[in-house]
Amino acid sequence: MTKKFRVFATCDVGESIELLRKRGYDVEVYPQPKAPPKSLILEKVKSGIDGLITTLRDPIDAEVFEAGKGKLRVVAQIAVGFDNINRADANRYKVPFIHTADVLTEATAEFAFFMLGALARKMWTAEHLLRENKWDYWHPYLPFLGDEVTGKTIAIIGTGRIGLAMIKKCAGFDMNILCYDPAYQNHAFVKAIQEIKDLLQRRGIAKEKTWIKYTTLDDALREADFVSVHVPLLRERESDTPTYHLFNERTLRMMKPTAFLVNTSRGPVVDEAALARALRENWIAGAALDVYEKEPLPPDSPLRDLAIEDRCRLYPHFASAAKITRLSTDPNKGMAGRCVQGLIDVLEGNYGGDVTKMPYVVNKEAFGK
Ligand code: NAD
């Protein structure tokens, strides 16, 4: 390597940092687990770094790109969502940015499914009963019962990578599946899942005939026992079908009073004030959330209300937090490996230096010939 590249990472991404150093890179890692202040990111970028490794906690906008003008060549984000990076600004300054799609798809989908199970079968409440020494008897229905998942109907909102992976998990539980996505419909995938369902029933492995189909948002919300959200955060100006507060008073009231909402996408997709009311007033039966309008979840959040504790499961943005998924240095397995490989691709000019051919770059539109 002729040039020694300088990189600032706003968080430690494990062994992949050492691999960069072994390649001759000069890498500085922000040592605290919390996000660095933006002023520090600006200072580092101004100092002339070539690459910036970020997380979804770091606001990356025109101010950052201006500070790195002519020097900063790549932003590599360890996450699939990139709503913290202003794409228009990145394009204006012609800085490619990386995300780590695909490698967290299965981990996120399985966590969404486990959240759904924990919520419906009251696993948290049941364990508390035991730990608080309130398990006094076995009784057919006291002190409470949960809701089965097998054979129920789920709505998958957003049928991109994680939505489709979630469909696979749900198909394994013989669920009926309603799909909604205004921008991308994978009919071949849906047909294949139906064929598998039909085969299982013909062979007597599944007792009932179950189905999967695309439908409208309203029908999906009205008919589903579970609603699982897998959309990117898109604000008003960013899409014809924005997802900001997609779940609000109107859409929550459309759901059945026995239905459950699961959100592993982004917090602002759900209007939390409306959801807290929906839970308090029993418009829906429960919710399990991994992401919040403000993270970490503030101590005074209405979602922490003890009155809804039994039907509101709360997790700390944890869906992709599995060992191999987060930290493997293999770009085909780990977010860290993929993030660092994307950074190397840009800085070392892989793919003939053609950014549009680099697999992990998001904003390829800024580099078209
Ligand atoms: P993706 O781009 O493959 O899929 C998103 C899908 O949502 C697309 O098919 C898109 O057409 C669809 N969509 C867009 N607007 C919609 C709307 N208004 N209604 C319904 N569907 C709409 O992305 P992905 O890899 O499946 O990831 C989805 C999101 O999940 C990410 O953007 C990220 O924010 C979030 N995520 C969270 C975690 C976590 O730890 N909780 C982990 C990974 C991803």
Side-chain angles (χ1 to χ4, degrees):
M1 210 167 55
T2 47
K3 186 178 183 307
K4 190 173 181 189
F5 296 112
R6 279 184 58 216
V7 172
F8 177 66
T10 67
C11 62
D12 186 16
V13 300
E15 212 187 320
S16 297
I17 296 285
E18 280 320 304
L19 295 182
L20 274 180
R21 288 187 177 133
K22 279 192 191 135
R23 276 178 103 82
Y25 283 54
D26 175 358
V27 189
E28 186 187 349
V29 177
Y30 185 66
Q32 309 295 328
K34 280 190 179 171
K38 190 171 180 198
S39 56
L40 184 71
I41 297 178
L42 288 170
E43 185 190 305
K44 297 295 172 192
V45 170
K46 265 189 205 139
S47 79
I49 55 168
D50 302 284
L52 182 63
I53 293 177
T54 59
T55 71
L56 42 85
R57 313 170 305 179
D58 307 314
I60 305 299
D61 54 15
E63 206 183 356
V64 174
F65 294 118
E66 181 61 33
K69 205 170 172 183
K71 289 170 283 181
L72 181 68
R73 290 179 51 207
V74 60
V75 174
Q77 166 132 314
I78 182 162
V80 58
F82 47 80
D83 38 278
N84 59 308
I85 299 176
N86 188 311
R87 185 171 189 152
D89 291 346
N91 289 356
R92 212 147 32 84
Y93 285 86
K94 287 212 172 296
V95 177
F97 67 89
I98 308 299
H99 75 154
T100 61
D102 298 312
V103 285
L104 43 46
T105 294
E106 296 296 335
T108 306
E110 76 174 25
F111 197 80
F113 195 86
F114 297 151
M115 285 166 63
L116 181 156
L119 175 67
R121 297 301 302 272
K122 297 192 184 293
M123 292 169 79
W124 187 87
T125 322
E127 185 166 347
H128 272 271
L129 182 85
L130 179 146
R131 289 187 179 278
E132 290 160 17
N133 278 318
K134 292 179 185 158
W135 178 28
D136 293 335
Y137 47 79
W138 188 100
H139 184 280
Y141 59 84
L142 293 175
F144 49 73
L145 295 176
D147 287 275
E148 297 84 351
V149 172
T150 304
K152 294 285 180 61
T153 298
I154 186 164
I156 303 292
I157 309 302
T159 58
R161 289 169 291 246
I162 299 171
L164 294 184
M166 181 67 170
I167 288 174
K168 280 194 294 175
K169 319 287 177 215
C170 296
F173 277 70
D174 297 331
M175 300 184 86
N176 294 308
I177 304 166
L178 293 160
C179 308
Y180 169 70
D181 192 316
Y184 170 75
Q185 284 111 40
N186 193 332
H187 293 286
F189 183 95
V190 162
K191 185 165 173 276
I193 294 284
Q194 186 64 60
E195 284 167 7
I196 293 164
K197 285 175 161 296
D198 292 346
L199 178 69
L200 288 172
Q201 199 222 352
R202 273 204 310 279
R203 295 281 175 92
I205 296 167
K207 278 197 198 127
E208 311 264 333
K209 182 167 172 54
T210 57
W211 45 262
I212 176 169
K213 63 180 181 190
Y214 271 99
T215 185
T216 61
L217 178 64
D218 290 9
D219 284 351
L221 298 183
R222 283 196 190 104
E223 289 169 32
D225 302 304
F226 298 93
V227 175
S228 189
V229 192
H230 303 283
V231 299
L233 171 58
L234 297 169
R235 295 182 191 272
E236 206 60 54
R237 63 184 182 284
E238 293 169 331
S239 168
D240 294 339
T241 50
T243 59
Y244 177 79
H245 282 192
L246 181 63
F247 285 83
N248 51 40
E249 171 157 0
R250 188 187 74 84
T251 46
L252 288 166
R253 279 190 187 278
M254 274 183 177
M255 290 172 61
K256 299 201 266 193
T258 50
F260 298 94
L261 177 70
V262 177
N263 185 20
T264 53
S265 66
R266 282 289 182 264
V269 171
V270 175
D271 175 346
E272 284 174 8
L275 176 63
R277 240 187 100 201
L279 293 173
R280 272 197 317 272
E281 297 175 11
N282 303 307
W283 312 346
I284 65 171
L289 307 172
D290 187 45
V291 286
Y292 307 93
E293 294 203 66
K294 188 169 186 310
E295 295 183 6
L297 186 66
D300 61 350
S301 164
L303 296 169
R304 294 181 187 269
D305 184 350
L306 294 182
I308 57 172
E309 192 183 45
D310 64 328
R311 49 194 185 277
C312 185
R313 299 280 57 77
L314 303 172
Y315 300 96
H317 204 141
F318 204 60
S320 70
K323 290 174 187 153
I324 295 169
T325 302
R326 279 281 174 87
L327 291 185
S328 172
T329 56
D330 179 345
N332 292 316
K333 293 197 174 131
M335 295 163 69
R338 185 158 284 211
C339 165
V340 161
Q341 185 59 51
L343 177 114
I344 290 172
D345 285 347
V346 175
L347 292 184
E348 298 186 23
N350 291 344
Y351 301 89
D354 184 347
V355 171
T356 63
K357 296 204 172 108
M358 296 180 190
Y360 313 138
V361 169
V362 177
N363 57 333
K364 293 193 170 112
E365 70 276 7
F367 304 92
K369 305 253 154 51

